[in-house]
Amino acid sequence: MIAAQRRAHLIVWIVLVPVLLAAIVVGVVSRKPRAVERGAAQARPSEPAADAPTDAIAPDANDASSDASRKEPSR
Amino acid sequence: MSVSYTWVGWNRQKKIYDGVMLGAIALYLLVFVAVARVVQTPGQGLSDVQLVIRALGTAAFVLLHIVLCIGPLARLDRRLLPILYNRRHLGVTTFFVGLAHALLSIVWYHGFGDLAAPLSLLTANTNYRSVSQFPFEVLGLVALVILFLMAATSHDFWLKNLTPRVWKTLHMLVYFAYAALVLHVVLGVLQQEFSVVLVGALVFGVVLVGTLHVAAGVREVRKDRAAVNATDSTTWIDVCGVDDIPEKRARVVCLRSANEAHGERVAVFRYDGKVSVVSNVCEHQGGPLGEGKIVGGCITCPWHGYQYLPGTGQSPPPFTEKIKTYQVRVEGRRVLVNPEARAPGTPVDPATIEEAPR
């Protein structure tokens, strides 16, 4: 049993090392920067999903044509 | 070695070991934050909290490398056996440093929104098919859970109650935790910012740990392959010459009896004009008894000092550990061993060494 454990231990490392090195290479090649600010990773369920219709996204206040630039209708 | 369980069997060596270890970790954290504040580029703009998070993460990662290197180093060179002592405290400390890194990260990155931070950790990012956007935090969490299980069961109480076999298997999960942590780094910080130093250190760590384990493993498997075979259960196997065994030390031989598929290592001890043969596997953590020596009339394990009487395979009272024993006889200057193991703790008469002809 002990001898079998020793062989299993050796096989684990022979497999693990190339797999981890390959993972490092893949990780470096396909990297894209992401946000690192405080609270950046917090999920915000009240925000629209990325594939939601564009009219659900808050309008840009600097855009003169947007709804934000319109005045409240008078009654 | 103790007959009753205590939280920590403190002694002077352990206190010094832990003091040095905690001092070194504190110094590392201080130096990391101080240096990172100076060398970080203006665009990075990492806050002190973020630097502390990284310092704790790298400290835990470095500690895990050290823990993983100790085992094979001690097997490759017996002069390094003392560093094996108290490795357990190093492992538990690795968990606590990793835990501090995880808690601070969760609060900082997930603690300022609508969802509870732990829930946010698991639901904020589900891009499991993307490499660059992979939720690397989950990998860190998996590694932390494994390190927790190991730290929680590190005490001899659990070793005894889980049985050494189950305990050893559980603790071999550390390799899985190591792989998860390498991926945690690759898919985490390495995606945020590319650093030649970080990639180089990561590759160096993997190659170092892997090479040491493979080198030690190959050496051990070769020893097993050199097993001496028996043709039937009554065969006495010539294992070595009496003069090949240093006084109060052992020669380790791998025996394979007729009804066994794999060989079993035994330790052939020579002491006070006698020879005794016992299993090479310590009952405590499977330490190599044959690499230990006889101290005060007892075989003493080089790993944690567990002791056994060479003629019975039993620990001296009040201790209760037992190991297998083997029948042995000396003919001329040759040692012959019966490969059929006796039940652990079975008394076997030692063979007497005849005077060498002058």
Side-chain angles (χ1 to χ4, degrees):
Chain A
M1 181 58 207
I2 297 293
Q5 273 183 350
R6 278 194 284 267
R7 275 195 300 278
H9 181 268
L10 176 60
I11 291 167
V12 164
W13 279 104
I14 288 174
V15 172
L16 199 57
V17 172
V19 168
L20 290 179
L21 291 176
I24 292 171
V25 172
V26 171
V28 169
V29 169
S30 56
R31 63 176 291 275
K32 286 176 190 168
R34 67 170 109 188
V36 292
E37 292 82 20
R38 179 183 179 185
Q42 166 69 12
R44 294 178 178 82
S46 56
E47 287 185 358
D51 56 353
T54 50
D55 57 358
I57 297 173
D60 183 358
N62 296 322
D63 183 355
S65 65
S66 71
D67 286 346
S69 64
R70 294 176 189 165
K71 294 177 181 175
E72 286 288 321
S74 56
R75 301 190 176 201
Chain B
M1 189 174 179
S2 63
V3 71
S4 61
Y5 296 112
T6 54
W7 279 102
V8 180
W10 288 112
N11 57 33
R12 187 169 174 271
Q13 280 170 308
K14 284 187 182 179
K15 286 177 181 172
I16 292 172
Y17 186 105
D18 286 3
V20 170
M21 176 179 66
L22 294 175
I25 292 170
L27 183 66
Y28 174 87
L29 296 177
L30 286 172
V31 170
F32 185 100
V33 173
V35 171
R37 286 175 81 170
V38 173
V39 302
Q40 71 169 320
T41 55
Q44 261 182 314
L46 295 174
S47 67
D48 284 349
V49 176
Q50 286 172 305
L51 292 178
V52 171
I53 289 172
R54 290 190 176 193
L56 287 166
T58 54
F61 201 43
V62 170
L63 282 171
L64 186 60
H65 276 83
I66 295 171
V67 169
L68 287 173
C69 287
I70 286 175
L73 280 173
R75 298 218 61 73
L76 288 168
D77 190 337
R78 59 189 301 163
R79 288 172 300 180
L80 297 172
L81 273 170
I83 63 174
L84 199 65
Y85 186 73
N86 226 21
R87 178 175 58 169
R88 206 183 308 205
H89 285 205
L90 200 57
V92 173
T93 306
T94 302
F95 163 70
F96 280 113
V97 175
L99 180 66
H101 165 77
L103 291 177
L104 205 51
S105 301
I106 291 172
V107 169
W108 184 258
Y109 292 112
H110 293 270
F112 299 95
D114 299 337
L115 285 180
L119 189 61
S120 170
L121 174 72
L122 298 172
T123 59
N125 180 4
T126 53
N127 292 318
Y128 286 96
R129 292 184 178 181
S130 165
V131 173
S132 62
Q133 301 298 315
F134 192 90
F136 67 97
E137 299 94 334
V138 175
L139 293 166
L141 187 63
V142 168
L144 194 65
V145 169
I146 293 173
L147 292 180
F148 166 73
L149 288 174
M150 293 178 61
T153 60
S154 61
H155 199 276
D156 276 353
F157 171 84
W158 288 106
L159 177 63
K160 187 83 175 175
N161 285 284
L162 289 173
T163 72
R165 188 177 169 182
V166 172
W167 188 89
K168 197 81 182 171
T169 305
L170 174 70
H171 281 239
M172 278 182 75
L173 283 176
V174 70
Y175 304 142
F176 189 71
Y178 177 67
L181 280 182
V182 170
L183 295 176
H184 175 72
V185 175
V186 169
L187 300 171
V189 70
L190 207 56
Q191 299 302 311
Q192 291 160 14
E193 55 203 74
F194 180 77
S195 162
V196 176
V197 174
L198 179 61
V199 174
L202 204 55
V203 170
F204 175 75
V206 171
V207 171
L208 176 70
V209 173
T211 305
L212 285 175
H213 276 270
V214 170
V218 166
R219 203 167 110 157
E220 297 299 318
V221 170
R222 274 187 187 156
K223 282 184 191 171
D224 288 335
R225 282 188 183 156
V228 187
N229 292 305
T231 51
D232 61 69
S233 61
T234 58
T235 302
W236 288 81
I237 299 177
D238 185 336
V239 292
C240 61
V242 167
D243 302 316
D244 299 332
I245 315 169
E247 178 66 16
K248 308 259 189 231
R249 295 262 183 191
R251 186 177 176 91
V252 178
V253 184
C254 191
L255 298 179
R256 188 182 295 130
S257 62
N259 53 4
E260 277 183 330
H262 302 294
E264 193 71 40
R265 287 188 193 178
V266 300
V268 185
F269 276 94
R270 175 182 176 174
Y271 58 101
D272 304 331
K274 293 178 282 186
V275 175
S276 284
V277 182
V278 296
S279 166
N280 190 49
V281 183
C282 179
E283 178 70 8
H284 178 223
Q285 283 193 22
L289 289 173
E291 292 174 26
K293 56 187 173 185
I294 291 183
V295 179
C298 290
I299 297 166
T300 305
C301 180
W303 281 11
H304 301 98
Y306 273 56
Q307 290 190 309
Y308 305 90
L309 294 163
T312 63
Q314 299 175 9
S315 291
F319 306 109
T320 56
E321 287 76 17
K322 293 173 184 171
I323 52 173
K324 294 177 194 167
T325 53
Y326 292 81
Q327 287 181 307
V328 59
R329 68 179 197 233
V330 174
E331 287 185 3
R333 303 298 291 171
R334 303 299 300 177
V335 178
L336 306 177
V337 178
N338 185 332
E340 287 298 316
R342 302 282 150 159
T346 305
V348 172
D349 290 334
T352 304
I353 302 171
E354 297 159 16
E355 284 291 318
R358 299 188 179 188

